[in-house]
Amino acid sequence: TTQARALQRRLPVGQPLRLLSLPCSSGEEPYSMAIAMFDADFAAHEFQIDALDISQRVIEHATIGQYGVNAFRGDDPGIRERYFQREADGSHRIDERLRAVVRFQCGNILGSTMPPSLTDYDIVFCRNLLIYFDRPTQLRALTNLKRWLRADGLLFTGPAEAGVLSQQGFESLDAAHSFAFRRRTLPCPPVPARPILPAAVKPRAPSPLPLRATSAVRRMAPSPAAKSESPPTGDAAAGLRKITELANAGRSAEALTACAQQLTQLGRPPSCFSGGV
């Protein structure tokens, strides 16, 4: 699967494919990645592998690249002949071709200060690490992985980590015998169009709760003497109804203006409104 995915992602000349292995432990995974790339007919200058681990001790062991027979798996005995040199004690030392394309360094996936070179990876292997973290720590690790991975890059994890990736913006490639993910690309939701109302139709304002007449309306009511002198005419009564409706609707400023106009028409000064509502 690694070979097939890498072949699909060949880059133009001068832009090597960038791969990351973390945690790399004692080097079995990054060296296996290099073997897969060479077996897929990649030249050494066409890819670059970085390997990261928190333990300086295992980094030193990985740099030496010497393994016992139990480190080998699979049904291809030719791998040892092509990529390893047998030592006198029966161990196998990694070929210099593999050592030259893998760069080991000590680092922490949760660290805030990481080398600036840890960016823009096409493929990242981070298998069976997140399962040891609680949820907040998993989210911190995934934040760094997203920052290091290209927008169209591939992230390979363990089977038990598929759930958290699906919940954090990744989607599975459904590749056989692997757990490969890429960032989910979600289309922007359509913005609902505003309904266009006919020119003659206006939205109806909510009906106000019945309120008592405001103090301004009470202050403008004519005194008993004024009632006896001149009862309100039809226009004056209509004006009072309008003022009351404005006040009940909470439109105090308009009610005050209508009151002033009404008093002016009745020949009374509007000075009684200096207090406001």
Side-chain angles (χ1 to χ4, degrees):
T1 301
T2 303
Q3 298 176 32
R5 293 297 174 188
L7 286 171
Q8 292 173 4
R9 302 172 60 82
R10 277 190 182 271
L11 299 178
V13 177
Q15 299 182 24
L17 198 71
R18 303 193 68 227
L19 302 93
L20 174 65
S21 169
L22 80 158
C24 67
S25 187
S26 51
E28 288 89 339
E29 182 176 78
Y31 285 137
S32 296
M33 294 162 60
I35 291 173
M37 298 297 288
F38 280 129
D39 283 352
D41 296 327
F42 273 79
H45 67 274
E46 292 181 309
F47 68 96
Q48 173 187 312
I49 299 175
D50 288 331
L52 193 70
D53 200 280
I54 195 173
S55 171
Q56 183 64 40
R57 181 181 61 83
V58 299
I59 289 293
E60 293 173 357
H61 180 73
T63 303
I64 296 173
Q66 189 167 349
Y67 303 96
V69 66
N70 292 331
F72 294 90
R73 299 177 184 176
D75 301 326
D76 186 2
I79 288 181
R80 300 185 208 179
E81 299 176 3
R82 298 194 304 271
Y83 297 107
F84 292 85
Q85 178 181 350
R86 185 178 178 85
E87 300 293 304
D89 60 358
S91 63
H92 295 75
R93 183 180 295 273
I94 201 77
D95 189 275
E96 289 300 323
R97 290 180 298 164
L98 302 183
R99 196 192 311 274
V101 296
V102 179
R103 302 187 306 183
F104 291 97
Q105 54 185 313
C106 192
N108 187 349
I109 189 176
L110 301 176
S112 57
T113 57
M114 297 296 293
S117 60
L118 294 179
T119 56
D120 295 331
Y121 285 102
D122 299 282
I123 299 176
V124 173
F125 281 81
C126 183
R127 299 189 299 174
N128 302 321
L129 174 65
L130 300 180
I131 56 175
Y132 296 102
F133 298 155
D134 58 18
R135 182 50 60 92
T137 309
Q138 288 178 340
L139 298 182
R140 285 177 56 194
L142 283 174
T143 297
N144 282 341
L145 289 174
K146 289 179 181 179
R147 186 167 68 247
W148 300 339
L149 193 65
R150 288 171 56 95
D152 58 344
L154 302 181
L155 175 61
F156 289 83
T157 66
E161 298 158 329
V164 64
L165 264 71
S166 299
Q167 298 171 8
Q168 298 300 321
F170 286 86
E171 60 183 358
S172 173
L173 294 185
D174 295 326
H177 308 296
S178 71
F179 293 87
F181 293 83
R182 62 186 171 194
R183 295 186 193 181
R184 185 182 298 117
T185 55
L186 295 177
C188 296
V191 179
R194 286 188 173 184
I196 300 177
L197 300 176
V201 179
K202 296 182 178 179
R204 179 181 298 176
S207 301
L209 295 174
L211 302 173
R212 293 183 179 181
T214 63
S215 57
V217 177
R218 289 196 296 271
R219 286 199 299 270
M220 60 75 56
S223 61
K227 288 183 180 179
S228 61
E229 293 174 0
S230 57
T233 63
D235 292 341
L240 288 175
R241 286 195 300 271
K242 178 180 179 182
I243 294 169
T244 302
E245 292 174 0
L246 292 172
N248 286 340
R251 297 159 63 180
S252 303
E254 297 179 46
L256 289 173
T257 301
C259 286
Q261 294 174 350
Q262 186 82 348
L263 289 175
T264 301
Q265 293 175 1
L266 294 175
R268 300 177 185 273
S271 58
C272 60
F273 289 90
S274 58
V277 174

